Amino acid sequence: MRKTIFKAKRSDTATWVEGQYFEQKLRYGGRAQIYVADAENEEEEDTGWTNVLRETLCQLTGKTYDGGKLVWENDLFEVKMNGAETHIEYFNCQVVWHEGCCAFVFKVISGDNPILWIAFNDQNILSIRFINNTHD
């Protein structure tokens, strides 16, 4: 079975945890939780269910950068691209889910360029540089 991995900040310490997400219905307390499977061998126990801040929830995109670092929803990047007439353009972007494309994309959040979205596989991308996550 395929697992969808999320990360969010713990509600008690505000540190990031990664794992499978579960949200209780309001009538059962309305908690947002991530199951942290962090045992290094079968003799240890996982941290298990950890309460998280729902507003910091980020889904793993399945994409990587810089030789294997994971790209998460809400990550911020500087995207360097080939622009019109052979000049280079830089855009500050946030990783978001695009319903119309059914994919994660870079959403341009700075500059006055009319481009709103940049696909991860856009052939004009020269490089990307991680800045931060919107929840840091």
Side-chain angles (χ1 to χ4, degrees), residues 60-72:
L60 183 62
T61 66
K63 305 293 183 186
T64 60
Y65 69 99
D66 283 351
K69 295 178 184 172
L70 301 175
V71 176
W72 295 89

Side-chain angles (χ1 to χ4, degrees), residues 123-134:
Q123 302 217 352
N124 291 314
I125 294 176
L126 299 172
S127 65
I128 62 172
R129 183 181 64 82
F130 178 76
I131 298 171
N132 214 336
N133 186 283
T134 58

Side-chain angles (χ1 to χ4, degrees), residues 6-56:
F6 292 86
K7 76 174 184 177
K9 290 194 171 188
R10 292 176 58 117
S11 59
D12 56 352
T13 63
T15 56
W16 288 107
V17 291
E18 299 174 12
Q20 291 182 292
Y21 180 69
F22 175 76
E23 187 168 330
Q24 284 186 326
K25 295 196 181 288
L26 194 54
R27 67 178 178 236
Y28 299 115
R31 291 182 296 192
Q33 297 180 317
I34 285 185
Y35 188 85
V36 180
D38 57 356
E40 294 187 22
N41 58 55
E42 291 183 19
E43 293 152 11
E44 295 179 11
E45 289 192 27
D46 292 331
T47 298
W49 291 107
T50 304
N51 292 329
V52 296
L53 301 169
R54 183 180 292 109
E55 62 273 14
T56 66

Side-chain angles (χ1 to χ4, degrees), residues 87-100:
H87 72 280
I88 305 297
E89 295 183 277
Y90 293 86
F91 302 99
N92 286 338
C93 299
Q94 178 180 357
V95 176
V96 298
W97 178 257
H98 189 291
E99 289 291 333

Side-chain angles (χ1 to χ4, degrees), residues 109-122:
I109 59 173
S110 68
D112 54 353
N113 195 295
I115 299 172
L116 299 176
W117 312 98
I118 303 169
F120 280 129
N121 62 351
D122 190 306

